Amino acid sequence: MGSTTTVQGLLYFAAALQVIAAGVALFMIPLSGRRASWIILCVGLGVQAWRRVHAAMAGGDLTEALSALAVSMLLLAGIIGIHSVFLSLRRTRHQLAEERERSSAFVNRVGAAMVALDTEGHILDMNDETARLIAVPKAEALGLNWFDTFVAENIREDVRKSFAELLLSPDGSDEYVEYTLIGADGEERMVVWHRRVLCGPEGRNIGIRSAGIDLSVRRKLQQELAFHSMLLDRTSDSVLVYRHDGTIIYANDAACIYRECSHDELVGANIRDLIGEEDLEEFESRLEAVKNGAYTIFETEAPRPGGGTRPLESNIAPTSVDGQDLIVDVARDVSERRRSEAVVRRLAYCDPLTGLANRALLWDRAALAIARAERCGERLAVLFADVNQLKTVNDLHGHAVGDQLLRAAAKQLSTVFREEDTVARVGGDEFVVLARVKDAAEASELVARVTAGIACELLIGGNRVPLSASVGVAVFPDDGVNLDALIAFADASMYAAKPGQQVPGTASSELQPLSAEVAESETWGRGTRGQSPPPA
């Protein structure tokens, strides 16, 4: 009885193991994809399990029970082992797929065109950059002949010959080649390729893998840069580009000419070395504004290596190149403009005949001087001088001689006064002088100095022409509080002291031609005050 129970138990346990093995076999279907084979195996295991149950019910012997248990255990262990193998293969395939995706993504991101060709030149594989170059989607390009479809016809045979020679190379060495591709869109692109032979499992050459870089964009950029550089070098304006710390990274030809140095000397130097010392503080403030995004105009006296300066007007603006903040400095030489401005100022504020200040400049300076005098409690002297006998000289010798007489009077007045004083011609023969004085006594001394200083004798066009002037004076604020009132007072004072209308020291009839020896000299002579002129 005991022996029968043991046999039945072993047979039932063997049947259960075979049922478990059948269940494991069912899980193999999604791993292997072989549905029919595993279903047949499951059916066979089920039949074997039924046989074990039938034998147990029939009361089989112990040997049969032990063999059935051994077979069931071996079947279950084998199926579990196969299941593990398939799981491992599945993980391996998954890892390979991920690696392939990463590799494909890298190949597409690297920026180079990648293409694999068989020994006849048909496309086996390629990346997105290659599809962009030939303007054909990858799915449509696979299988096309590379040379017949995308290589320019005039170089097709040479490229194909080079391809065949590389295939026959015993070591499949790397090779660089450059040729033109023509895409499906008709666009021509120059591409440089790095080629490598592909070998099969038996070591036989089965094709070539090529990695290419499109040179068209680079060449276009180089052409554009060369064109822009040519434009900048043709302009007469200086163009500098420097960093925020002042380091110059670009200079055109005009910049080198303006600074009188070579390109190598400019690039790498600091812009501050090209600014006059007296302008550096203002330049720093302008530079700070530009760093904050402002646009500014800055004038400086740029030092010249050989000495002296060159006046430059710089238009300074911020810019950015490849994420780097830079400053563009476009400058031009304003020497001619300043000369023109000086001419305009001279025409606007200077008397064209004598070069002295005119009425407009006198009034401007008088307004400033009177304001200062009021603020500081100072006194001003306004002298009104009238050249004697100008009309008589004009009538006897002509206006050209009269003009020389006026220029001589202006020169004599300029030598009497200081640079800070203003000497102006306000009428035909009238001059006004504005000068600071301590008191009325010093103003009277000025009148005496002017009267004595202007008195001289001239040799003009062979004629001896004496020069003298009548002078009146007014003192601010005693005789008036504005220029009009002061001139009116000085004018009245001058007329009160003015002699007769003939030239002092000689009658009109005494204006005779000089001797030939004196006439040839055409010189200006300064007479000695109180002495008679030399005889004619």
Side-chain angles (χ1 to χ4, degrees):
M1 182 69 182
S3 176
T4 302
T5 303
T6 300
V7 170
Q8 289 179 338
L10 290 174
L11 289 172
Y12 283 131
F13 183 64
L17 291 178
Q18 290 185 346
V19 171
I20 293 173
V24 174
L26 289 175
F27 282 107
M28 297 291 290
I29 293 175
L31 292 177
S32 65
R34 299 180 180 276
R35 182 187 301 272
S37 299
W38 291 107
I39 290 176
I40 292 172
L41 178 61
C42 290
V43 171
L45 289 171
V47 171
Q48 287 292 325
W50 179 84
R51 285 185 60 196
R52 303 296 178 242
V53 172
H54 179 74
M57 294 175 64
D61 58 14
L62 181 61
T63 301
E64 182 183 2
L66 290 174
S67 63
L69 179 62
V71 170
S72 298
M73 292 178 67
L74 289 174
L75 282 173
L76 178 60
I79 292 175
I80 291 175
I82 294 172
H83 182 269
S84 299
V85 170
F86 275 107
L87 282 178
S88 178
L89 288 174
R90 182 179 183 181
R91 284 194 296 268
T92 301
R93 285 198 301 269
H94 183 68
Q95 290 172 353
L96 288 173
E98 289 182 344
E99 184 63 28
R100 191 180 298 111
E101 289 178 4
R102 284 194 296 268
S103 176
S104 177
F106 171 77
V107 167
N108 286 323
R109 285 198 303 268
V110 77
M114 304 289 290
V115 61
L117 307 178
D118 65 13
T119 56
E120 299 298 324
H122 298 100
I123 300 173
L124 299 175
D125 193 14
M126 68 182 193
N127 67 346
D128 294 344
E129 177 63 13
T130 305
R132 184 192 68 81
L133 287 180
I134 63 177
V136 176
K138 177 179 178 179
E140 299 178 14
L142 295 180
L144 295 178
N145 189 283
W146 179 261
F147 306 108
D148 295 340
T149 311
F150 304 113
V151 178
E153 187 174 356
N154 60 326
I155 59 171
R156 187 174 296 163
E157 290 305 317
D158 291 337
V159 176
R160 193 191 295 274
K161 180 179 178 182
S162 171
F163 180 86
E165 290 174 351
L166 182 59
L167 280 174
L168 296 176
S169 172
D171 57 355
S173 61
D174 294 337
E175 181 179 286
Y176 287 90
V177 65
E178 181 178 329
Y179 57 85
T180 303
L181 283 183
I182 301 179
D185 55 359
E187 187 76 20
E188 292 188 4
R189 295 176 176 86
M190 180 61 67
V191 184
V192 59
W193 298 95
H194 173 260
R195 306 187 300 184
R196 179 74 179 178
V197 172
L198 294 173
C199 296
E202 300 153 2
R204 185 171 51 89
N205 294 345
I206 61 172
I208 289 178
R209 182 190 67 242
S210 301
I213 297 176
D214 185 2
L215 301 180
S216 305
V217 175
R218 182 180 299 177
R219 288 189 176 182
K220 184 177 179 181
L221 289 175
Q222 289 174 341
Q223 291 172 353
E224 290 179 354
L225 287 174
F227 179 69
H228 293 159
S229 181
M230 180 271 294
L231 290 180
L232 290 175
D233 287 337
R234 294 296 183 272
T235 181
S236 59
D237 291 342
S238 161
V239 180
L240 294 175
V241 180
Y242 43 88
R243 301 190 185 99
H244 281 188
D245 64 359
T247 303
I248 298 171
I249 63 173
Y250 174 82
N252 71 341
D253 290 348
C256 299
I257 294 172
Y258 279 8
R259 272 75 181 193
E260 300 179 10
C261 56
S262 67
H263 183 269
D264 291 339
E265 291 172 323
L266 267 185
V267 175
N270 196 289
I271 184 63
R272 293 173 180 83
D273 298 333
L274 309 179
I275 306 295
E277 290 184 6
E278 64 279 4
D279 298 325
L280 272 176
E281 185 176 350
E282 181 184 354
F283 176 75
E284 291 294 348
S285 64
R286 298 293 182 90
L287 197 61
E288 196 62 33
V290 173
K291 289 178 183 177
N292 294 327
Y295 167 91
T296 186
I297 298 177
F298 171 71
E299 284 198 25
T300 183
E301 298 290 335
R304 306 171 80 163
T309 60
R310 182 192 298 271
L312 296 178
E313 179 188 77
S314 295
N315 294 267
I316 308 175
T319 188
S320 179
V321 178
D322 293 333
Q324 183 181 14
D325 292 330
L326 300 171
I327 294 173
V328 177
D329 186 329
V330 181
R332 63 179 51 187
D333 189 333
V334 291
S335 302
E336 187 62 35
R337 191 193 73 188
R338 289 191 178 182
R339 284 192 289 268
S340 301
E341 290 173 350
V343 171
V344 171
R345 283 195 299 271
R346 187 166 61 251
L347 294 174
Y349 293 110
C350 294
D351 175 56
L353 178 64
T354 63
L356 297 178
N358 63 6
R359 184 182 293 270
L361 184 55
L362 173 66
W363 254 252
D364 285 347
R365 291 186 177 177
L368 295 175
I370 290 174
R372 173 187 170 87
E374 288 178 339
R375 187 172 61 252
C376 301
E378 297 176 344
R379 277 182 163 73
L380 296 173
V382 174
L383 283 75
F384 191 94
D386 186 271
V387 176
N388 294 322
Q389 298 295 333
L390 178 63
K391 184 177 184 305
T392 303
V393 172
N394 284 336
D395 292 342
L396 287 175
H397 305 292
H399 286 276
V401 175
D403 288 346
Q404 291 197 47
L405 191 70
L406 289 173
R407 283 194 286 267
K411 182 178 179 181
Q412 296 300 97
L413 281 172
S414 298
T415 59
V416 172
F417 291 93
R418 302 163 296 189
E419 288 188 5
E420 64 183 63
D421 301 328
T422 299
V423 181
R425 180 180 177 228
V426 296
D429 58 358
E430 298 171 341
F431 296 85
V432 172
V433 180
L434 181 66
R436 284 192 298 160
V437 294
K438 296 179 182 178
D439 48 31
E442 186 179 356
S444 299
E445 291 176 6
L446 277 178
V447 172
R449 282 170 53 196
V450 170
T451 304
I454 203 172
C456 66
E457 191 172 62
L458 309 175
L459 301 178
I460 306 175
N463 300 304
R464 194 187 309 278
V465 182
L467 171 64
S468 65
S470 300
V471 183
V473 66
V475 178
F476 170 88
D478 303 338
D479 303 322
V481 293
N482 57 58
L483 186 60
D484 290 330
L486 292 169
I487 289 178
F489 189 93
D491 189 13
S493 174
M494 180 271 296
Y495 271 104
K498 190 175 180 69
Q501 295 301 309
Q502 66 180 22
V503 177
T506 180
S508 299
S509 60
E510 294 176 343
L511 297 174
Q512 301 297 330
L514 302 175
S515 62
E517 293 82 5
V518 177
E520 289 178 359
S521 66
E522 288 293 322
T523 59
W524 296 59
R526 179 73 185 272
T528 303
R529 191 164 174 252
Q531 295 182 357
S532 300

